[in-house]
Amino acid sequence: MQLLPLAPGRLRQGSPRHLPSCSPALLLLVLGGCLGVFGVAAGTRRPNVVLLLTDDQDEVLGGMTPLKKTKALIGEMGMTFSSAYVPSALCCPSRASILTGKYPHNHHVVNNTLEGNCSSKSWQKIQEPNTFPAILRSMCGYQTFFAGKYLNEPDAGGLEHVPLGWSYWYALEKNSKYYNYTLSINGKARKHGENYSVDYLTDVLANVSLDFLDYKSNFEPFFMMIATPAPHSPWTAAPQYQKAFQNVFAPRNKNFNIHGTNKHWLIRQAKTPMTNSSIQFLDNAFRKRWQTLLSVDDLVEKLVKRLEFTGELNNTYIFYTSDNGYHTGQFSLPIDKRQLYEFDIKVPLLVRGPGIKPNQTSKMLVANIDLGPTILDIAGYDLNKTQMDGMSFLPILRGASNLTWRSDVLVEYQGEGRNVTDPTCPSLSPGVSQCFPDCVCEDAYNNTYACVRTMSALWNLQYCEFDDQEVFVEVYNLTADPDQITNIAKSIDPELLGKMNYRLMMLQSCSGPTCRTPGVFDPRYRFDPRLMFSNRGSVRTRRFSKHLL
């Protein structure tokens, strides 16, 4: 199957399809903002970039274990980040952060609902024109290819809507599925059934990606974003992998199947110990998640081999990451994401490419808001022209010494739930959502929180506040308590608690460069206690946004 770019009538002026590849002088004139580090010297081509994004793949609970080929072909050939985080542990807000390089309070996608700005008209009008793929295409002359799950909700523009910035568009309608789904092929619907050989989505994404590499232009660099359904539910493995990992169970770590004392009420409401049927269910889910990832491992292998065959591999950066983590039984919550703990907010991040030495591990604190700036930096674009909150970690990839880097990142989430009682759980208060048959719920409208995740030479902390009637606070020392069992909010030094509260307020109102100011444990940090008080003399509290725009 030969891939076709968007029809000429859909192209906008400034897209790379309007740039004559045979005219280097014109290319230099139009792409002046993208010369940067690499330039367009004779015989030199700007690097290609591939971003592989999985769905709900954790790092803390061994999510990378099944991906032996991926670890060998990307991680061992480049750099693995051991401290990579998402600013929101949910698909749509996290993916919006990847595309825009912004925290959720700046791109205004707060959860997976249309009301939460996921795939809304407002998102399409205000944010999509400024995503990094749009910049790559309009300002840097990159061919841009997308295949897989884009955000989450049905797009406000329907299947016909193709976001600004994509030359080739192969997007899944709605949420992750493996069979019986519809793809938007450059704005036209194509339905798939349940025949493994032609319909299994992970393999379909692999095949259209290989087709793109065969039929793309050889005169412009390319960017590919491949967003797989795995390991998201319904966890449908390819037939050849359905019996894999039969002796694998969800990890029984220290926070597995224990009561979450001194935690937010949503965690305290979980039933401990979990029933045998609940444990069997989550063990089966954990096993199936790993099974689905084996097809992702195959996809990565095929892609790397094709890049090598076409002679593009040595000039291509490959990023591998996930939109959020996952939990299976931690604090007696069955299965989901959305929570503030490491298992939900920490993700894999592996990168290989030109100038990256093999077999490296970085402990530097990075977030998915950094992916856009890093990729634009690779393309040579002037990051000062963007409104992104993140930072380019290209200097880290290249082994820069004496690098000044951040010591904290923001995590924020606005809970989903309506002011009605769940009819299957009438004893529960209104506002809960994502409830299981035993009435353990994974979310609620007041599961709304913001956190500062801090990592420095001496400190490894997380400070969180909830927007609820309790104004609940959770603080964890992850050096002493990596499983986040003990909330030390009531025992920590009050002065330190005040500084963390202030830092949280600053980050939740930050934008662009102010999101990159020194954190509490950065030697450059300066704390003014007077800013902790309002004009009336009372202690300030951080405000949660109730309005999208």
Side-chain angles (χ1 to χ4, degrees):
M1 175 184 66
Q2 182 171 350
L3 295 183
L4 295 174
L6 293 177
R10 299 186 64 115
L11 292 177
R12 299 165 176 85
Q13 292 296 324
S15 81
R17 296 277 158 186
H18 285 286
L19 300 175
S21 58
C22 59
S23 176
L26 181 58
L27 191 65
L28 280 169
L29 178 64
V30 177
L31 305 183
C34 282
L35 301 185
V37 177
F38 295 99
V40 190
T44 299
R45 279 193 56 188
R46 282 165 296 145
N48 311 304
V49 182
V50 177
L51 173 58
L52 295 152
L53 181 67
T54 54
D55 197 350
D56 288 0
Q57 185 182 357
D58 68 276
E59 193 274 340
V60 172
L61 302 180
M64 284 300 299
T65 303
L67 293 137
K68 295 181 179 179
K69 292 181 281 192
T70 300
K71 289 187 289 185
L73 292 170
I74 303 179
E76 293 176 16
M77 297 303 294
M79 182 175 288
T80 299
F81 287 83
S82 60
S83 303
Y85 289 85
V86 296
S88 190
L90 192 63
C91 303
C92 202
S94 180
R95 288 163 184 258
S97 287
I98 291 173
L99 291 164
T100 63
K102 297 178 182 179
Y103 283 120
H105 70 267
N106 286 328
H107 61 59
H108 306 292
V109 179
V110 296
N111 53 42
N112 277 352
T113 65
L114 196 61
E115 297 80 6
N117 207 30
C118 182
S119 302
S120 70
K121 286 289 187 182
S122 173
W123 157 266
Q124 293 168 10
K125 179 180 178 181
I126 298 173
Q127 301 299 335
E128 281 187 344
N130 298 303
T131 62
F132 79 85
I135 296 172
L136 284 176
R137 184 182 182 192
S138 65
M139 301 301 296
C140 302
Y142 271 67
Q143 303 166 84
T144 53
F145 168 90
F146 181 86
K149 173 179 167 179
Y150 179 54
L151 292 175
N152 204 78
E153 277 294 298
D155 198 299
L159 286 168
E160 295 78 18
H161 174 70
V162 178
L164 193 71
W166 298 103
S167 314
Y168 300 81
W169 179 251
Y170 282 70
L172 176 69
E173 182 188 31
K174 301 181 182 179
N175 209 344
S176 285
K177 296 178 73 174
Y178 299 81
Y179 294 109
N180 298 310
Y181 55 86
T182 300
L183 291 179
S184 169
I185 312 297
N186 294 333
K188 296 183 179 180
R190 177 183 295 169
K191 294 185 179 296
H192 281 261
E194 51 189 19
N195 182 340
Y196 168 72
S197 63
V198 294
D199 296 319
Y200 188 69
L201 182 55
T202 306
D203 291 353
V204 169
L205 299 181
N207 291 334
V208 297
S209 299
L210 298 180
D211 286 344
F212 169 75
L213 292 175
D214 287 340
Y215 293 106
K216 66 176 176 57
S217 166
N218 291 323
F219 297 100
E220 299 104 10
F222 62 83
F223 168 70
M224 303 177 71
M225 184 171 178
I226 307 167
T228 72
H232 195 284
S233 61
W235 318 304
T236 309
Q240 66 270 30
Y241 296 133
Q242 290 178 358
K243 293 184 179 180
F245 308 119
Q246 290 302 304
N247 296 319
V248 168
F249 303 90
R252 268 49 169 180
N253 49 2
K254 290 184 179 179
N255 55 21
F256 178 83
N257 197 17
I258 67 168
H259 184 62
T261 56
N262 298 316
K263 286 178 168 54
H264 184 235
W265 75 267
L266 188 66
I267 308 300
R268 299 196 303 265
Q269 57 89 33
K271 294 177 173 60
T272 306
M274 291 184 289
T275 64
N276 288 336
S277 60
S278 292
I279 293 177
Q280 289 174 1
F281 171 76
L282 66 87
D283 277 338
N284 189 47
F286 186 89
R287 188 177 304 115
K288 287 183 175 181
R289 282 166 52 81
W290 277 22
Q291 290 170 355
T292 65
L293 285 169
L294 293 176
S295 293
V296 176
D297 212 28
D298 292 340
L299 182 157
V300 172
E301 181 184 40
K302 293 173 185 176
L303 190 71
V304 171
K305 285 185 175 180
R306 184 61 58 88
L307 287 167
E308 185 174 30
F309 177 77
T310 59
E312 301 274 11
L313 183 60
N314 291 337
N315 194 39
T316 301
Y317 286 87
I318 305 177
F319 294 73
Y320 181 98
T321 191
S322 173
D323 58 358
N324 49 255
Y326 208 69
H327 56 259
T328 49
Q330 284 62 48
F331 302 123
S332 298
L333 294 174
I335 55 167
D336 200 37
K337 50 267 186 177
R338 307 169 197 266
Q339 308 307 328
L340 58 87
Y341 308 103
E342 292 285 283
F343 42 74
D344 283 0
I345 64 173
K346 194 173 183 181
V347 293
L349 177 58
L350 292 69
V351 190
R352 68 171 288 171
I356 306 176
K357 295 179 180 179
N359 288 306
Q360 292 190 89
T361 299
S362 174
K363 296 181 180 179
M364 302 295 266
L365 180 61
V366 296
N368 70 8
I369 58 171
D370 301 328
L371 290 170
T374 302
I375 293 170
L376 289 177
D377 199 7
I378 288 170
Y381 188 73
D382 182 0
L383 297 180
N384 292 322
K385 295 181 179 180
T386 75
Q387 300 175 344
M388 294 182 175
D389 303 332
M391 306 168 64
S392 169
F393 56 81
L394 183 58
I396 297 175
L397 294 173
R398 291 179 169 170
S401 57
N402 301 319
L403 182 67
T404 300
W405 196 249
R406 67 157 68 92
S407 60
D408 59 21
V409 293
L410 174 69
V411 178
E412 51 190 351
Y413 176 64
Q414 184 169 309
E416 294 179 10
R418 301 182 184 277
N419 193 26
V420 293
T421 300
D422 189 323
T424 62
C425 301
S427 63
L428 297 178
S429 300
V432 295
S433 63
Q434 311 298 319
C435 297
F436 284 82
D438 58 357
C439 293
V440 173
C441 301
E442 294 273 5
D443 205 4
Y445 73 92
N446 68 353
N447 183 37
T448 296
Y449 59 82
C451 307
V452 181
R453 181 67 178 91
T454 297
M455 297 184 73
S456 68
L458 298 177
W459 295 92
N460 188 6
L461 290 176
Q462 186 175 19
Y463 172 91
C464 303
E465 292 181 17
F466 282 84
D467 183 27
D468 60 8
Q469 291 181 346
E470 296 178 294
V471 194
F472 203 80
V473 176
E474 296 188 28
V475 184
Y476 299 98
N477 177 353
L478 283 97
T479 300
D481 180 22
D483 295 297
Q484 297 172 287
I485 294 172
T486 304
N487 179 6
I488 61 172
K490 294 183 178 180
S491 60
I492 196 171
D493 180 355
E495 181 180 353
L496 178 57
L497 200 66
K499 289 182 178 180
M500 296 296 286
N501 169 267
Y502 174 72
R503 179 60 177 166
L504 182 58
M505 287 191 292
M506 294 300 99
L507 282 176
Q508 268 243 287
S509 60
C510 76
S511 178
T514 60
C515 297
R516 305 188 287 272
T517 56
V520 171
F521 301 106
D522 190 309
R524 301 168 296 156
Y525 176 76
R526 296 295 179 267
F527 174 64
D528 185 350
R530 292 173 298 180
L531 297 176
M532 289 297 300
F533 297 89
S534 67
N535 294 333
R536 298 180 181 177
S538 60
V539 177
R540 292 177 63 191
T541 57
R542 188 179 51 77
R543 295 181 178 179
F544 290 83
S545 173
K546 294 297 184 184
H547 303 284
L548 297 175
L549 296 172

